[in-house]
Amino acid sequence: MAKAVVGEETRLKLAEDRLSQSAVGLLIGKFSSAVGRAFLFDLVPTPHNDSGEPACSLPEPDKKKGPKPKSKSEPADSSSLFIDKDWVAEHARQVSRMLVGGMKVVGLYAWVSDTAFKNSTIMLCQTVKVVADAAPVVAGDWDERLLLHICYSPRRWNCRNCSLSSNITSSSLRPCDFKTGKILTSLQTYKCMYNFNLRLPILRDSASKFQTLSDTLRHVISVHAKELSGAKALIDGKLVVESESYSSDGVHEVELLLPFLNNSSIEACSQGDVVGLLSFSGLICSFAYLNSKEPISQAVTDIKGDIIKSLQSRLDIICDEVDVDSGNNHDVGSQASNEISVEKPVPQLVLRILRVILKRQSSAWGFCLVRKGCSLPFPKRVFAPWLAGVYVCDYLQPSETVEVFKDHCMELLSMKAPTDVSTILEPEKEVLSLKTKSFWDVAVPSNSELRLMEDKSKRDGGGKSSSSKTVKPGHINVVAAALILLLSVLVGFVLFFLKG
């Protein structure tokens, strides 16, 4: 529970000009367990839905920015709000994906009259709950979210804690202290470039409870999250001390040191016949922002959480695009007869498919399985300046440009698109990718090279006689061993006769 909430005064004043865009929107900020406070960075209006309708419907008198006060003889307004909860939750899900370490969707704001707010308490609490489910806060014991009521006549700001319990009543809201201050300029920046390589064996018998590729990857990411939680951290080359705090400006470089763990892949190999290896590797750039009153260990926790969230977000993007495209790709059976077509989208492929020799090309997915090999490039992460040097991010497919990022900034965050392309950071030079290899490519790395040599010799000597075929190195080794054995026998006979 946040005992007090501090809002960025410069952004809240500017937010008043944007409140007319939508009567409801998201609160972007941060929960701090160390100081028992919540910090609000900005208010983001929820855009109109695909039909062009607002996310919150208000009676006609409430739609006016400054309605005239009613006389005492006029009846009180007993109208309540209608909120498109699913649309607000989808907005929260996509905005949460664009936030970096420590920054969260911490609640909801409502720009309505006092009467409409009181008549819509249950509806607002239900909306807060679906927003919390769409954009969860993993760190800490925050089982509540914020509900900020902005009354336009007279202009008042009231903040409440909203309980996320399943039984929502009028008592689910509890007031908390709300004040404004300058918090964005005091944030400290932490950056981490994290290399990872996650491996999982592919067994011949699909006895695993994770039958789809996406489920398997989610399990791998969750396992790595537990491993990452035990990692030590170096900040600017120094080992992190729990209670230590940094007061220097600039970007602090974070390096994570993973503990030595048992190789789960090797243990899994003893459980069945391994036919391949699933390799998920790449480079992740992560940012986190820390308040000056928070301990430095919180920055490390935020970095770790951001890395895992980044992996999950990239997987979600691929699954979302496949779900959209799957309806337009049902005619895959028209491929060549020597290829095996698959009607299911890539992340829903059963793991046993990875053992089959197949080839599938799709510019939307960037997926190709050839000769028991698979390569699936993941979206790369890009960053753009948002508020007072704070960055937001987005994920771009190989076929997308930064123009897509600009559109997302305007639509989802209600911010001006970056005009200077040089301010957009693309630090992830190495693309995250999912690869599968056959067992022999893993156990005998030279096997692939041998196949390439054979293919090349067939191309070069295609018109020559069979006597010009290349002799395999394996055959040379057998002949050499036989000659050595024969020579040893001859030497033994000579020595025997000389002795006699």
Side-chain angles (χ1 to χ4, degrees):
M1 176 180 175
K3 298 179 181 178
V5 179
V6 182
E8 173 60 37
E9 60 181 13
T10 58
R11 296 304 303 172
L12 296 185
K13 290 179 180 179
L14 294 175
E16 294 182 358
D17 299 331
R18 293 180 288 148
L19 292 177
S20 58
Q21 298 179 17
S22 178
V24 295
L26 307 177
L27 301 178
I28 308 301
K30 181 176 184 178
F31 289 118
S32 176
S33 303
V35 295
R37 290 183 177 184
F39 301 97
L40 294 185
F41 301 152
D42 200 9
L43 278 62
V44 178
T46 297
H48 290 192
N49 59 22
D50 295 334
S51 302
E53 299 176 352
C56 179
S57 300
L58 295 171
E60 190 65 27
D62 285 338
K63 289 184 179 179
K64 297 179 181 179
K65 186 174 181 179
K68 295 181 180 180
K70 295 182 179 181
S71 63
K72 294 182 180 180
S73 61
E74 293 180 351
D77 184 11
S78 60
S79 58
S80 59
L81 305 174
F82 172 77
I83 302 176
D84 188 346
K85 296 189 290 291
D86 294 337
W87 183 252
V88 178
E90 178 61 22
H91 182 221
R93 186 178 74 91
Q94 296 193 33
V95 168
S96 177
R97 186 182 291 169
M98 300 181 69
L99 303 178
V100 297
M103 298 170 57
K104 306 291 182 182
V105 177
V106 296
L108 188 78
Y109 78 80
W111 185 63
V112 294
S113 65
D114 283 334
T115 304
F117 184 86
K118 292 177 182 177
N119 295 335
S120 310
T121 301
I122 302 299
M123 175 65 73
L124 288 169
C125 290
Q126 291 174 348
T127 307
V128 171
K129 190 175 188 309
V130 297
V131 166
D133 293 337
V137 177
V138 179
D141 299 327
W142 298 100
D143 56 350
E144 296 181 345
R145 296 295 183 274
L146 302 178
L147 178 57
L148 180 64
H149 174 213
I150 308 170
C151 180
Y152 48 68
S153 180
R155 183 63 57 87
R156 289 196 306 269
W157 297 63
N158 295 317
C159 193
R160 296 171 174 85
N161 285 299
C162 181
S163 174
L164 301 179
S165 61
S166 57
N167 185 21
I168 296 178
T169 62
S170 57
S171 60
S172 298
L173 294 178
R174 288 181 288 179
C176 60
D177 295 335
F178 179 75
K179 60 181 180 179
T180 60
K182 294 183 179 180
I183 54 178
L184 285 174
T185 54
S186 63
L187 294 179
Q188 299 173 359
T189 306
Y190 295 83
K191 178 182 177 182
C192 178
M193 300 298 293
Y194 180 69
N195 270 296
F196 73 98
N197 188 359
L198 310 180
R199 296 187 175 188
L200 183 71
I202 302 172
L203 305 181
R204 185 177 301 277
D205 297 327
S206 299
S208 173
K209 60 181 179 180
F210 307 105
Q211 289 297 309
T212 61
L213 183 58
S214 58
D215 290 341
T216 302
L217 287 177
R218 294 186 197 282
H219 173 67
V220 170
I221 293 173
S222 65
V223 171
H224 187 62
K226 297 178 181 179
E227 297 175 353
L228 194 62
S229 63
K232 298 295 183 180
L234 298 177
I235 296 183
D236 297 335
K238 299 180 181 179
L239 189 65
V240 173
V241 180
E242 292 290 331
S243 59
E244 189 177 3
S245 61
Y246 276 52
S247 58
S248 58
D249 297 331
V251 179
H252 302 288
E253 298 292 337
V254 180
E255 182 180 357
L256 297 178
L257 308 176
L258 285 173
F260 290 103
L261 300 171
N262 294 329
N263 196 325
S264 58
S265 298
I266 296 178
E267 294 178 0
C269 291
S270 62
Q271 300 175 4
D273 188 4
V274 178
V275 295
L277 183 71
L278 188 68
S279 177
F280 187 26
S281 61
L283 176 68
I284 296 178
C285 179
S286 174
F287 280 93
Y289 296 94
L290 195 68
N291 187 273
S292 58
K293 296 181 180 180
E294 295 180 285
I296 195 173
S297 58
Q298 185 61 47
V300 178
T301 302
D302 292 342
I303 285 285
K304 293 177 180 179
D306 183 60
I307 290 173
I308 298 302
K309 190 184 77 169
S310 178
L311 292 174
Q312 294 171 339
S313 297
R314 298 177 210 234
L315 180 59
D316 290 340
I317 290 173
I318 291 181
C319 292
D320 290 345
E321 292 198 0
V322 169
D323 290 340
V324 172
D325 295 338
S326 59
N328 302 324
N329 292 277
H330 293 298
D331 56 345
V332 293
S334 59
Q335 297 179 356
S337 59
N338 61 341
E339 296 175 352
I340 302 176
S341 62
V342 181
E343 295 183 357
K344 291 185 179 181
V346 174
Q348 300 302 324
L349 289 177
V350 181
L351 284 179
R352 65 175 69 94
I353 298 295
L354 296 176
R355 302 192 307 271
V356 181
I357 303 175
L358 70 127
K359 179 180 180 181
R360 177 170 184 165
Q361 296 176 346
S362 172
S363 59
W365 305 337
F367 186 81
C368 184
L369 269 173
V370 183
R371 292 186 178 181
K372 301 182 183 179
C374 160
S375 179
L376 177 62
F378 272 53
K380 69 175 180 179
R381 195 180 198 184
V382 293
F383 301 86
W386 181 38
L387 306 172
V390 175
Y391 283 96
V392 290
C393 72
D394 200 3
Y395 299 92
L396 301 181
Q397 295 281 26
S399 59
E400 294 177 334
T401 63
V402 293
E403 296 300 325
V404 177
F405 186 15
K406 294 180 180 180
D407 293 340
H408 289 172
C409 289
M410 293 187 294
E411 295 172 3
L412 299 176
L413 295 177
S414 189
M415 61 178 280
K416 294 182 179 180
T419 55
D420 188 0
V421 181
S422 62
T423 60
I424 298 179
L425 304 181
E426 301 183 51
E428 296 182 353
K429 303 302 181 183
E430 180 183 348
V431 179
L432 270 71
S433 63
L434 171 70
K435 297 180 181 179
T436 62
K437 297 180 180 180
S438 67
F439 173 77
W440 290 110
D441 287 334
V442 179
V444 187
S446 60
N447 188 56
S448 299
E449 301 176 1
L450 294 179
R451 285 206 304 265
L452 292 175
M453 292 172 59
E454 292 175 8
D455 294 340
K456 183 178 180 181
S457 64
K458 289 178 181 179
R459 290 194 300 267
D460 296 341
K464 298 180 182 180
S465 62
S466 59
S467 61
S468 62
K469 290 182 179 179
T470 305
V471 179
K472 292 185 178 180
H475 294 169
I476 297 176
N477 294 337
V478 173
V479 173
L483 290 176
I484 293 174
L485 180 61
L486 181 61
L487 182 61
S488 301
V489 173
L490 292 176
V491 171
F493 273 113
V494 171
L495 293 176
F496 177 77
F497 284 116
L498 289 177
K499 231 179 199 182

